[in-house]
Amino acid sequence: MSRPSEPSSIFSKRLRQARQDAGLSQKDLGILAGLDPFVASTRINRYEQDVHAPDQATAKRLAKALGVPLAYLYADNERLARMIRAFSALDATEQDRLLQAIEHA
């Protein structure tokens, strides 16, 4: 049995990971992002397989539906991607405190 190929683009990889982390099917994610329910699964699959790339407005809606910052989907460094997700989960006071610590290190 052949193994499905891994997505080649960073966006595709991060989209798939965020969707799986959220426990959503491709169709559910597409619908949450405002795609037509009849093509939602196919469109998300094509994004995850790096066959097509979403336009910026669609990418923003996908990020919002997944509860991740748009920057996470494009971060080309694993540590940076993890930092973006962790940082976004903090409240504003914690974000400010962390920024001050980093900027003054």
Side-chain angles (χ1 to χ4, degrees):
M1 179 195 281
S2 67
R3 188 172 170 217
S5 62
E6 290 295 316
S8 61
S9 82
I10 294 299
F11 182 90
S12 298
K13 175 185 172 188
R14 300 232 186 274
L15 179 65
R16 177 182 287 173
Q17 186 62 55
R19 179 183 60 77
Q20 290 173 340
D21 290 350
L24 295 171
S25 69
Q26 291 176 333
K27 183 174 184 172
D28 290 341
L29 172 57
I31 292 169
L32 285 173
L35 301 177
D36 182 319
F38 294 107
V39 299
S41 181
T42 301
R43 293 249 325 256
I44 298 301
N45 181 271
R46 289 182 179 170
Y47 297 152
E48 289 184 1
Q49 294 301 316
D50 202 24
V51 173
H52 296 290
D55 59 35
Q56 187 174 15
T58 302
K60 284 181 181 181
R61 289 194 314 269
L62 290 168
K64 184 175 181 179
L66 290 165
V68 299
L70 180 61
Y72 167 79
L73 295 175
Y74 291 99
D76 63 355
N77 176 288
E78 188 61 32
R79 281 191 186 118
L80 179 59
R82 289 173 49 207
M83 181 64 86
I84 290 168
R85 277 187 92 169
F87 185 82
S88 72
L90 300 174
D91 66 30
T93 302
E94 292 170 322
Q95 287 178 352
D96 288 340
R97 190 175 336 187
L98 181 58
L99 280 172
Q100 286 179 353
I102 291 170
E103 291 171 344
H104 295 96

XYZ file of all heavy atoms in Angstrom:
820
model
N 0.851 -1.180 0.000
C 0.000 0.000 0.000
C 0.888 1.232 0.000
O 1.800 1.346 0.795
C -0.894 -0.021 1.244
C -1.782 1.189 1.308
S -2.553 1.487 2.887
C -3.880 0.379 2.939
N 0.644 2.150 -0.915
C 1.473 3.345 -0.975
C 1.015 4.368 0.058
O -0.162 4.463 0.378
C 1.445 3.948 -2.372
O 0.162 4.437 -2.640
N 1.970 5.089 0.547
C 1.709 6.109 1.547
C 1.387 7.421 0.849
O 2.048 7.787 -0.112
C 2.969 6.263 2.393
C 2.782 7.126 3.574
C 4.021 7.047 4.451
N 3.881 8.064 5.444
C 4.866 8.793 5.911
N 6.074 8.597 5.489
N 4.648 9.706 6.816
N 0.371 8.157 1.339
C 0.062 9.437 0.705
C 1.270 10.361 0.777
O 1.999 10.355 1.756
C -1.100 9.998 1.521
C -1.488 8.974 2.507
C -0.484 7.871 2.464
N 1.464 11.134 -0.257
C 2.602 12.044 -0.263
C 2.377 13.179 0.732
O 1.249 13.603 0.966
C 2.819 12.610 -1.660
O 1.693 13.341 -2.064
N 3.469 13.642 1.286
C 3.406 14.756 2.225
C 3.246 16.052 1.444
O 3.794 16.199 0.356
C 4.690 14.812 3.063
C 4.796 13.673 4.057
C 3.731 13.716 5.115
O 3.434 14.788 5.668
O 3.167 12.645 5.389
N 2.506 17.010 1.988
C 2.381 18.283 1.288
C 3.738 18.966 1.194
O 4.549 18.889 2.103
C 1.408 19.081 2.160
C 1.392 18.400 3.476
C 1.780 16.970 3.232
N 3.992 19.599 0.085
C 5.308 20.187 -0.125
C 5.419 21.617 0.388
O 6.498 22.047 0.740
C 5.670 20.138 -1.606
O 4.725 20.875 -2.351
N 4.357 22.354 0.408
C 4.467 23.739 0.871
C 4.231 23.832 2.375
O 3.540 23.010 2.971
C 3.473 24.646 0.140
O 2.192 24.559 0.720
N 4.831 24.849 2.946
C 4.654 25.108 4.374
C 3.174 25.327 4.680
O 2.635 24.777 5.633
C 5.480 26.334 4.808
C 6.975 26.055 4.676
C 5.127 26.782 6.206
C 7.493 24.927 5.523
N 2.513 26.139 3.853
C 1.093 26.412 4.079
C 0.291 25.112 4.115
O -0.520 24.904 5.015
C 0.536 27.343 3.000
C -0.915 27.689 3.219
C -1.268 28.793 3.971
C -1.927 26.892 2.700
C -2.606 29.104 4.202
C -3.262 27.198 2.927
C -3.598 28.301 3.674
N 0.522 24.241 3.161
C -0.214 22.980 3.086
C 0.002 22.135 4.336
O -0.948 21.591 4.906
C 0.222 22.181 1.856
O -0.072 22.889 0.684
N 1.239 22.040 4.755
C 1.586 21.253 5.947
C 0.918 21.831 7.191
O 0.313 21.107 7.976
C 3.106 21.251 6.121
C 3.574 20.578 7.376
C 5.088 20.730 7.536
C 5.524 20.227 8.903
N 6.924 20.520 9.164
N 1.033 23.132 7.364
C 0.468 23.756 8.569
C -1.061 23.728 8.551
O -1.691 23.548 9.591
C 0.976 25.183 8.694
C 2.485 25.244 8.803
C 2.966 26.044 9.968
N 4.410 26.147 9.903
C 5.247 25.240 10.400
N 4.792 24.194 11.024
N 6.559 25.392 10.285
N -1.660 23.889 7.380
C -3.112 23.821 7.276
C -3.601 22.447 7.717
O -4.524 22.340 8.528
C -3.568 24.112 5.842
C -5.072 24.044 5.598
C -5.807 25.126 6.383
C -5.369 24.162 4.105
N -2.982 21.412 7.197
C -3.384 20.052 7.566
C -3.208 19.818 9.067
O -4.092 19.284 9.733
C -2.569 19.025 6.791
C -2.926 17.582 7.235
C -2.111 16.569 6.513
N -2.615 16.502 5.150
C -2.055 15.810 4.187
N -0.945 15.136 4.409
N -2.590 15.786 2.998
N -2.057 20.228 9.612
C -1.795 20.012 11.026
C -2.803 20.753 11.898
O -3.346 20.191 12.848
C -0.374 20.450 11.391
C 0.004 20.112 12.822
C -0.015 18.624 13.090
O 0.647 17.866 12.404
N -0.792 18.194 14.066
N -3.075 22.005 11.575
C -4.028 22.794 12.362
C -5.426 22.197 12.269
O -6.163 22.153 13.260
C -4.030 24.250 11.910
N -5.795 21.725 11.090
C -7.123 21.111 10.925
C -7.226 19.843 11.757
O -8.223 19.617 12.461
C -7.385 20.789 9.448
C -8.740 20.125 9.214
C -8.955 19.740 7.777
N -7.979 18.812 7.245
C -7.966 17.488 7.504
N -8.862 16.949 8.302
N -7.049 16.720 6.948
N -6.202 19.021 11.703
C -6.213 17.786 12.488
C -6.207 18.090 13.981
O -6.925 17.441 14.752
C -5.027 16.901 12.100
C -5.173 16.311 10.714
C -3.935 15.575 10.236
O -2.833 15.775 10.738
N -4.117 14.722 9.238
N -5.410 19.076 14.397
C -5.386 19.480 15.810
C -6.761 19.944 16.273
O -7.140 19.725 17.424
C -4.373 20.603 16.046
C -2.929 20.148 15.915
O -2.660 18.927 15.832
O -2.046 21.036 15.881
N -7.496 20.586 15.384
C -8.842 21.084 15.715
C -9.895 19.986 15.643
O -11.046 20.200 16.037
C -9.219 22.229 14.778
N -9.519 18.817 15.125
C -10.463 17.708 15.027
C -11.533 17.924 13.960
O -12.651 17.430 14.099
N -11.184 18.648 12.908
C -12.146 18.946 11.854
C -11.880 18.108 10.612
O -10.725 17.845 10.272
C -12.051 20.422 11.460
C -12.433 21.455 12.507
C -12.076 22.850 12.035
C -13.923 21.358 12.816
N -12.944 17.754 9.931
C -12.793 17.123 8.616
C -12.491 18.233 7.614
O -12.689 19.420 7.894
C -14.081 16.404 8.212
O -15.114 17.344 7.954
N -12.032 17.852 6.442
C -11.788 18.840 5.404
C -13.080 19.579 5.053
O -13.083 20.798 4.898
C -11.189 18.174 4.169
C -9.770 17.685 4.402
C -9.201 16.937 3.222
O -9.922 16.335 2.429
N -7.876 16.936 3.107
N -14.165 18.848 4.959
C -15.444 19.468 4.622
C -15.878 20.457 5.706
O -16.297 21.578 5.409
C -16.521 18.405 4.415
C -17.859 18.989 3.999
C -18.870 17.918 3.669
C -20.152 18.549 3.154
N -21.097 17.570 2.653
N -15.767 20.036 6.976
C -16.167 20.920 8.076
C -15.352 22.209 8.087
O -15.900 23.293 8.276
C -16.021 20.214 9.422
C -17.041 19.107 9.618
O -18.079 19.093 8.923
O -16.790 18.228 10.477
N -14.048 22.090 7.868
C -13.212 23.288 7.832
C -13.637 24.198 6.693
O -13.774 25.414 6.875
C -11.733 22.921 7.679
C -10.797 24.116 7.447
C -10.914 25.152 8.562
C -9.372 23.636 7.274
N -13.841 23.625 5.524
C -14.259 24.433 4.380
C -15.550 25.177 4.644
O -15.663 26.368 4.343
N -16.510 24.500 5.231
C -17.796 25.131 5.539
C -17.617 26.245 6.573
O -18.162 27.344 6.426
C -18.826 24.076 5.992
C -19.189 23.168 4.806
C -20.065 24.734 6.579
C -19.980 21.932 5.189
N -16.829 25.975 7.627
C -16.571 26.997 8.649
C -15.882 28.224 8.055
O -16.073 29.347 8.528
C -15.707 26.433 9.774
C -16.383 25.500 10.761
C -15.354 24.890 11.706
C -17.449 26.257 11.560
N -15.080 28.006 7.012
C -14.366 29.108 6.368
C -15.205 29.786 5.293
O -14.726 30.682 4.601
C -13.055 28.595 5.772
N -16.452 29.361 5.125
C -17.349 30.028 4.197
C -17.336 29.497 2.779
O -17.863 30.145 1.869
N -16.755 28.319 2.573
C -16.756 27.727 1.237
C -18.102 27.059 0.972
O -18.783 26.632 1.905
C -15.637 26.691 1.104
C -14.210 27.193 1.334
C -13.222 26.037 1.234
C -13.861 28.293 0.356
N -18.450 26.941 -0.272
C -19.670 26.246 -0.679
C -19.590 24.802 -0.178
O -18.596 24.109 -0.430
C -19.765 26.267 -2.201
C -21.027 25.615 -2.727
O -21.438 24.563 -2.197
O -21.585 26.148 -3.699
N -20.588 24.329 0.557
C -20.552 22.971 1.110
C -20.332 21.872 0.065
O -19.763 20.833 0.378
C -21.923 22.803 1.774
C -22.369 24.193 2.072
C -21.793 25.054 0.980
N -20.746 22.102 -1.179
C -20.601 21.088 -2.212
C -19.157 20.930 -2.684
O -18.807 19.892 -3.245
C -21.523 21.385 -3.397
C -22.970 21.281 -3.042
C -23.745 22.420 -2.910
C -23.565 20.041 -2.820
C -25.091 22.329 -2.554
C -24.901 19.946 -2.466
C -25.665 21.083 -2.337
N -18.326 21.950 -2.472
C -16.932 21.867 -2.905
C -15.939 22.017 -1.747
O -14.731 21.966 -1.959
C -16.611 22.926 -3.989
C -17.466 22.713 -5.220
C -16.762 24.331 -3.443
N -16.442 22.170 -0.533
C -15.585 22.447 0.622
C -14.506 21.385 0.817
O -13.323 21.709 0.959
C -16.436 22.579 1.885
N -14.881 20.140 0.811
C -13.915 19.063 1.037
C -12.852 19.031 -0.053
O -11.652 18.926 0.226
C -14.633 17.718 1.115
O -13.709 16.685 1.353
N -13.269 19.147 -1.291
C -12.336 19.117 -2.417
C -11.363 20.281 -2.363
O -10.161 20.118 -2.574
C -13.106 19.137 -3.751
O -13.969 18.005 -3.790
C -12.164 19.110 -4.932
N -11.861 21.479 -2.062
C -10.989 22.660 -2.019
C -9.953 22.538 -0.913
O -8.766 22.798 -1.133
C -11.811 23.938 -1.811
C -12.693 24.280 -2.971
C -12.351 25.503 -3.781
N -11.802 26.662 -3.150
C -12.470 27.781 -2.894
N -13.756 27.880 -3.167
N -11.841 28.813 -2.380
N -10.381 22.100 0.276
C -9.427 21.956 1.383
C -8.409 20.872 1.036
O -7.205 21.035 1.274
C -10.139 21.645 2.714
C -11.086 22.785 3.105
C -9.119 21.368 3.824
C -10.440 24.144 3.266
N -8.858 19.782 0.440
C -7.949 18.722 0.041
C -6.900 19.255 -0.931
O -5.710 18.941 -0.810
C -8.716 17.557 -0.580
C -7.805 16.429 -0.971
O -7.285 16.393 -2.084
N -7.595 15.509 -0.054
N -7.314 20.056 -1.876
C -6.369 20.610 -2.860
C -5.389 21.579 -2.220
O -4.228 21.643 -2.618
C -7.116 21.252 -4.009
C -7.775 20.192 -4.879
C -8.477 20.754 -6.052
N -9.061 19.660 -6.840
C -9.894 19.828 -7.823
N -10.265 21.048 -8.167
N -10.376 18.805 -8.474
N -5.842 22.327 -1.218
C -4.917 23.192 -0.486
C -3.908 22.347 0.287
O -2.722 22.639 0.303
C -5.656 24.109 0.490
C -6.611 25.094 -0.132
C -7.711 25.547 0.576
C -6.427 25.587 -1.429
C -8.601 26.465 0.034
C -7.315 26.498 -1.987
C -8.395 26.928 -1.247
O -9.276 27.830 -1.791
N -4.389 21.302 0.947
C -3.508 20.451 1.748
C -2.543 19.638 0.890
O -1.463 19.283 1.345
C -4.325 19.519 2.649
C -5.014 20.240 3.778
C -5.749 19.318 4.725
O -5.730 18.077 4.530
O -6.355 19.836 5.682
N -2.938 19.341 -0.322
C -2.059 18.588 -1.225
C -1.164 19.516 -2.048
O -0.386 19.060 -2.875
C -2.889 17.695 -2.156
C -3.632 16.587 -1.445
C -2.698 15.665 -0.686
O -1.654 15.274 -1.180
N -3.072 15.332 0.546
N -1.276 20.809 -1.827
C -0.495 21.828 -2.522
C -0.757 21.830 -4.025
O 0.112 22.164 -4.819
C 1.000 21.637 -2.227
C 1.796 22.912 -2.455
O 1.204 24.003 -2.394
O 3.005 22.805 -2.708
N -1.985 21.454 -4.400
C -2.392 21.519 -5.806
C -2.782 22.951 -6.145
O -2.479 23.451 -7.228
C -3.572 20.550 -6.074
C -4.115 20.726 -7.488
C -3.140 19.111 -5.821
N -3.454 23.598 -5.200
C -3.858 24.998 -5.347
C -3.522 25.719 -4.049
O -3.449 25.099 -2.993
C -5.362 25.131 -5.597
C -5.811 24.523 -6.880
N -5.501 25.057 -8.105
C -6.554 23.421 -7.125
C -6.027 24.299 -9.054
N -6.670 23.298 -8.487
N -3.350 27.016 -4.140
C -3.134 27.849 -2.955
C -4.310 28.807 -2.831
O -4.773 29.357 -3.833
C -1.839 28.639 -3.095
N -4.794 29.004 -1.613
C -5.911 29.937 -1.443
C -5.447 31.379 -1.607
O -4.282 31.692 -1.374
C -6.359 29.676 -0.007
C -5.123 29.219 0.683
C -4.354 28.436 -0.341
N -6.378 32.236 -2.002
C -6.046 33.661 -2.022
C -5.962 34.139 -0.572
O -6.313 33.414 0.355
C -7.069 34.455 -2.842
C -8.494 34.330 -2.311
O -8.696 34.240 -1.080
O -9.427 34.324 -3.127
N -5.491 35.353 -0.380
C -5.267 35.854 0.975
C -6.549 35.900 1.808
O -6.546 35.548 2.983
C -4.616 37.228 0.952
C -4.219 37.701 2.344
C -3.442 38.999 2.329
O -3.424 39.710 1.324
N -2.814 39.316 3.425
N -7.646 36.307 1.214
C -8.911 36.389 1.954
C -9.346 35.002 2.423
O -9.800 34.844 3.567
C -9.996 37.027 1.093
N -9.200 34.009 1.569
C -9.570 32.637 1.949
C -8.628 32.118 3.026
O -9.058 31.476 3.982
C -9.561 31.703 0.719
O -10.473 32.226 -0.257
C -9.963 30.290 1.085
N -7.331 32.391 2.889
C -6.365 31.960 3.900
C -6.703 32.563 5.262
O -6.631 31.878 6.291
C -4.954 32.340 3.476
N -7.117 33.823 5.285
C -7.516 34.467 6.540
C -8.732 33.784 7.144
O -8.800 33.572 8.360
C -7.825 35.951 6.315
C -6.610 36.810 6.161
C -7.023 38.272 5.971
C -5.820 39.159 5.799
N -6.186 40.574 5.635
N -9.707 33.445 6.301
C -10.909 32.763 6.804
C -10.563 31.372 7.328
O -11.125 30.929 8.334
C -11.977 32.692 5.723
C -12.612 34.034 5.402
C -13.889 33.922 4.574
N -13.800 33.017 3.440
C -13.428 33.366 2.212
N -13.101 34.624 1.954
N -13.398 32.479 1.243
N -9.650 30.680 6.664
C -9.222 29.360 7.134
C -8.537 29.473 8.498
O -8.837 28.698 9.409
C -8.273 28.704 6.123
C -8.906 28.258 4.814
C -7.829 27.904 3.793
C -9.829 27.062 5.050
N -7.647 30.443 8.633
C -6.952 30.646 9.908
C -7.957 30.960 11.015
O -7.874 30.396 12.117
C -5.922 31.763 9.785
N -8.899 31.823 10.724
C -9.916 32.178 11.724
C -10.736 30.954 12.118
O -10.991 30.720 13.302
C -10.825 33.282 11.188
C -11.844 33.764 12.197
C -12.637 34.928 11.673
C -13.626 35.382 12.747
N -14.406 36.526 12.316
N -11.153 30.162 11.138
C -11.941 28.959 11.426
C -11.148 27.964 12.261
O -11.720 27.237 13.079
C -12.401 28.305 10.118
N -9.838 27.944 12.073
C -8.975 27.018 12.821
C -8.531 27.581 14.163
O -7.958 26.870 14.983
C -7.737 26.679 11.983
C -8.002 25.815 10.770
C -6.810 25.837 9.832
C -8.340 24.387 11.206
N -8.760 28.873 14.374
C -8.346 29.495 15.631
C -6.841 29.674 15.732
O -6.280 29.612 16.826
N -6.192 29.881 14.583
C -4.744 30.111 14.569
C -4.464 31.430 13.859
O -5.230 31.850 12.994
C -3.968 28.965 13.867
C -4.179 27.644 14.594
C -4.327 28.839 12.402
N -3.367 32.090 14.221
C -3.005 33.304 13.492
C -2.628 32.960 12.055
O -2.049 31.897 11.793
C -1.776 33.828 14.250
C -1.775 33.128 15.566
C -2.465 31.825 15.343
N -2.926 33.851 11.147
C -2.575 33.642 9.745
C -1.071 33.398 9.600
O -0.643 32.557 8.806
C -3.010 34.842 8.901
C -2.709 34.766 7.409
C -3.420 33.574 6.761
C -3.120 36.062 6.731
N -0.265 34.109 10.370
C 1.198 33.951 10.297
C 1.631 32.515 10.567
O 2.619 32.050 9.993
C 1.880 34.891 11.282
N 0.904 31.809 11.424
C 1.245 30.410 11.712
C 1.227 29.575 10.437
O 2.104 28.728 10.231
C 0.275 29.814 12.739
C 0.378 28.311 12.835
C 1.414 27.723 13.552
C -0.536 27.490 12.194
C 1.532 26.340 13.617
C -0.424 26.116 12.250
C 0.612 25.544 12.959
O 0.733 24.182 13.019
N 0.244 29.795 9.589
C 0.105 28.981 8.384
C 1.244 29.202 7.392
O 1.471 28.364 6.520
C -1.241 29.263 7.707
C -2.473 28.860 8.510
C -3.747 29.301 7.785
C -2.500 27.369 8.774
N 1.972 30.298 7.529
C 3.057 30.608 6.605
C 4.446 30.533 7.243
O 5.444 30.725 6.546
C 2.853 31.998 6.002
C 1.680 32.056 5.057
C 0.446 32.556 5.478
C 1.783 31.598 3.752
C -0.637 32.608 4.615
C 0.703 31.643 2.876
C -0.496 32.145 3.320
O -1.566 32.192 2.465
N 4.523 30.268 8.541
C 5.820 30.234 9.225
C 6.672 29.090 8.684
O 6.276 27.931 8.741
C 5.618 30.086 10.734
N 7.847 29.430 8.178
C 8.689 28.411 7.552
C 9.715 27.798 8.510
O 10.573 27.027 8.100
C 9.390 28.962 6.310
C 10.332 30.102 6.623
O 10.390 30.552 7.776
O 11.024 30.546 5.689
N 9.606 28.126 9.778
C 10.483 27.586 10.809
C 9.599 26.966 11.880
O 8.674 27.618 12.374
C 11.342 28.731 11.372
C 12.210 28.309 12.513
O 11.720 28.066 13.614
N 13.510 28.227 12.267
N 9.875 25.735 12.241
C 9.016 25.023 13.198
C 8.961 25.723 14.553
O 7.899 25.841 15.154
C 9.491 23.573 13.358
C 8.554 22.717 14.174
C 7.160 22.588 13.559
O 7.024 22.600 12.324
O 6.183 22.469 14.334
N 10.095 26.200 15.047
C 10.094 26.899 16.343
C 9.254 28.174 16.270
O 8.502 28.476 17.189
C 11.519 27.249 16.758
C 12.267 26.103 17.345
C 13.565 26.605 17.972
N 14.347 25.488 18.404
C 15.552 25.187 17.937
N 16.114 25.951 17.026
N 16.195 24.137 18.388
N 9.411 28.901 15.176
C 8.632 30.123 15.009
C 7.137 29.801 14.943
O 6.322 30.485 15.565
C 9.072 30.870 13.749
C 8.309 32.161 13.440
C 8.423 33.159 14.590
C 8.826 32.767 12.144
N 6.774 28.756 14.230
C 5.364 28.360 14.141
C 4.814 28.032 15.518
O 3.712 28.463 15.884
C 5.215 27.170 13.202
N 5.574 27.287 16.297
C 5.132 26.938 17.660
C 5.006 28.196 18.516
O 4.060 28.333 19.303
C 6.102 25.948 18.282
C 6.009 24.557 17.647
C 7.072 23.594 18.128
N 7.167 23.566 19.580
C 8.292 23.248 20.228
N 9.390 22.945 19.566
N 8.303 23.233 21.543
N 5.963 29.105 18.356
C 5.928 30.350 19.127
C 4.705 31.185 18.758
O 4.044 31.747 19.635
C 7.210 31.152 18.877
C 7.276 32.449 19.652
S 7.314 32.213 21.440
C 9.053 31.992 21.664
N 4.396 31.267 17.486
C 3.234 32.043 17.042
C 1.963 31.493 17.667
O 1.132 32.254 18.185
C 3.136 32.049 15.498
C 4.268 32.886 14.895
C 1.772 32.564 15.031
C 4.427 32.722 13.397
N 1.803 30.169 17.646
C 0.591 29.576 18.236
C 0.538 29.784 19.736
O -0.501 30.146 20.296
C 0.512 28.083 17.920
C -0.073 27.812 16.562
C -0.309 26.355 16.318
N -1.660 25.985 16.697
C -2.212 24.821 16.396
N -1.543 23.920 15.711
N -3.434 24.545 16.768
N 1.664 29.577 20.407
C 1.701 29.737 21.867
C 1.461 31.193 22.256
O 0.703 31.482 23.189
C 3.034 29.248 22.416
N 2.090 32.117 21.545
C 1.943 33.540 21.831
C 0.498 33.985 21.665
O -0.045 34.734 22.478
C 2.862 34.352 20.918
C 2.884 35.822 21.213
C 3.674 36.325 22.227
C 2.119 36.709 20.468
C 3.703 37.687 22.502
C 2.140 38.070 20.735
C 2.933 38.565 21.758
N -0.153 33.502 20.611
C -1.534 33.913 20.346
C -2.506 33.398 21.401
O -3.584 33.950 21.571
C -1.983 33.479 18.953
O -2.173 32.079 18.907
N -2.105 32.348 22.116
C -2.971 31.786 23.149
C -2.896 32.577 24.462
O -3.729 32.393 25.340
C -2.602 30.319 23.407
N -1.896 33.458 24.580
C -1.737 34.254 25.795
C -2.668 35.464 25.779
O -3.031 35.958 24.715
C -0.293 34.758 25.900
C 0.801 33.704 25.963
C 2.171 34.384 25.902
C 0.672 32.840 27.194
N -3.010 35.956 26.970
C -3.786 37.195 26.998
C -2.845 38.372 26.753
O -1.620 38.214 26.727
C -4.583 37.346 28.301
C -3.717 37.526 29.544
O -2.611 38.091 29.448
O -4.160 37.098 30.624
N -3.395 39.549 26.541
C -2.602 40.721 26.160
C -1.527 41.059 27.190
O -0.400 41.417 26.824
C -3.519 41.924 25.931
N -1.838 40.932 28.469
C -0.860 41.228 29.515
C 0.314 40.266 29.440
O 1.477 40.679 29.519
C -1.518 41.145 30.911
O -2.606 42.072 30.958
C -0.521 41.455 32.013
N 0.026 38.989 29.270
C 1.093 37.993 29.158
C 1.912 38.207 27.885
O 3.131 38.032 27.891
C 0.509 36.580 29.187
C -0.089 36.206 30.530
C -0.885 34.913 30.482
O -1.577 34.671 29.465
O -0.816 34.155 31.448
N 1.242 38.583 26.793
C 1.965 38.871 25.552
C 2.928 40.042 25.753
O 4.085 39.976 25.332
C 0.984 39.179 24.417
C 0.244 37.975 23.906
C -0.763 38.328 22.818
O -1.024 39.504 22.534
N -1.338 37.307 22.204
N 2.453 41.101 26.396
C 3.307 42.263 26.642
C 4.500 41.895 27.523
O 5.629 42.317 27.251
C 2.511 43.399 27.294
C 1.540 44.067 26.337
O 1.715 43.944 25.102
O 0.590 44.711 26.827
N 4.262 41.118 28.543
C 5.336 40.703 29.448
C 6.382 39.879 28.694
O 7.582 40.095 28.843
C 4.747 39.887 30.603
C 5.709 39.615 31.724
C 5.028 38.919 32.870
N 3.600 39.231 32.813
C 2.702 38.911 33.707
N 3.044 38.244 34.760
N 1.433 39.220 33.588
N 5.929 38.958 27.876
C 6.842 38.116 27.104
C 7.627 38.956 26.094
O 8.843 38.782 25.946
C 6.073 37.003 26.392
C 6.902 36.031 25.564
C 7.972 35.347 26.415
C 5.999 34.977 24.938
N 6.959 39.874 25.420
C 7.641 40.743 24.466
C 8.726 41.575 25.140
O 9.835 41.712 24.615
C 6.645 41.675 23.772
C 5.861 41.084 22.631
C 4.790 42.049 22.159
C 6.790 40.720 21.488
N 8.407 42.117 26.313
C 9.405 42.899 27.034
C 10.599 42.036 27.399
O 11.750 42.466 27.261
C 8.796 43.524 28.293
C 7.896 44.684 27.998
C 7.293 45.277 29.254
O 7.437 44.746 30.358
N 6.597 46.392 29.094
N 10.353 40.828 27.850
C 11.461 39.932 28.225
C 12.328 39.595 27.025
O 13.556 39.583 27.106
C 10.895 38.659 28.854
N 11.701 39.340 25.891
C 12.448 38.983 24.681
C 13.218 40.187 24.143
O 14.379 40.077 23.760
C 11.492 38.415 23.608
C 10.949 37.062 24.034
C 12.209 38.287 22.274
C 9.814 36.548 23.145
N 12.551 41.327 24.114
C 13.182 42.519 23.547
C 14.338 43.036 24.393
O 15.227 43.709 23.888
C 12.143 43.626 23.342
C 11.152 43.279 22.236
C 9.984 44.250 22.144
O 9.744 45.026 23.097
O 9.297 44.215 21.126
N 14.329 42.716 25.674
C 15.372 43.207 26.571
C 16.350 42.110 26.962
O 17.137 42.290 27.889
C 14.745 43.859 27.816
C 13.955 45.085 27.472
N 12.593 45.052 27.278
C 14.347 46.350 27.227
C 12.176 46.262 26.963
N 13.206 47.070 26.920
N 16.310 41.008 26.266
C 17.237 39.905 26.590
C 18.582 40.128 25.973
O 18.799 40.808 25.049
C 16.648 38.593 26.087
